[in-house]
Amino acid sequence: MAEIGSARRLMEDYQRHIVQLAELRVLLEERLGAADAGLDDIAEIEAAIERMDLGLYGTCRRCEAFIPVAQLRLAPHKQECAACRERMRMSA
Ligand SMILES: [Zn+2]
């Protein structure tokens, strides 16, 4: 019976993931339509939506680590993990 339980949990995780992706897509589209979105922002947002369509959204563009959902909610267009962003900041 443990296998049925874990299959259900996997399914629930998957459904939660799909719902989160849909929420994040709305956030991205809102950001894209925001009057104060600069050209750099728009390029980043469009790249993030493209990654979503490819099924890569939510993983770091540099090291492929998973990006926490809390971080994606704050900045849905940022597709680097905290460690890579810190490295980018240090080398800028
Ligand atoms: Zn990374």
Side-chain angles (χ1 to χ4, degrees), residues 12-87:
E12 284 170 359
D13 285 349
Y14 178 72
Q15 280 164 353
R16 192 161 40 239
H17 177 72
I18 296 294
V19 169
Q20 282 169 348
L21 275 182
E23 280 172 13
L24 289 163
R25 185 183 283 268
V26 169
L27 288 179
L28 281 168
E29 284 168 356
E30 277 174 5
R31 219 167 254 255
L32 197 58
D36 64 345
L39 284 180
D40 288 348
D41 295 325
I42 290 171
E44 264 189 317
I45 296 164
E46 284 180 340
I49 292 173
E50 198 175 297
R51 286 173 67 76
M52 201 173 260
D53 290 339
L54 293 170
L56 298 172
Y57 184 81
T59 58
C60 176
R61 195 154 54 180
R62 297 189 162 222
C63 74
E64 298 179 3
F66 281 103
I67 302 171
V69 173
Q71 186 186 318
L72 292 171
R73 286 209 174 100
L74 288 174
H77 56 307
K78 296 288 184 198
Q79 291 294 287
E80 290 90 18
C81 70
C84 287
R85 278 160 78 175
E86 181 63 15
R87 273 195 290 273

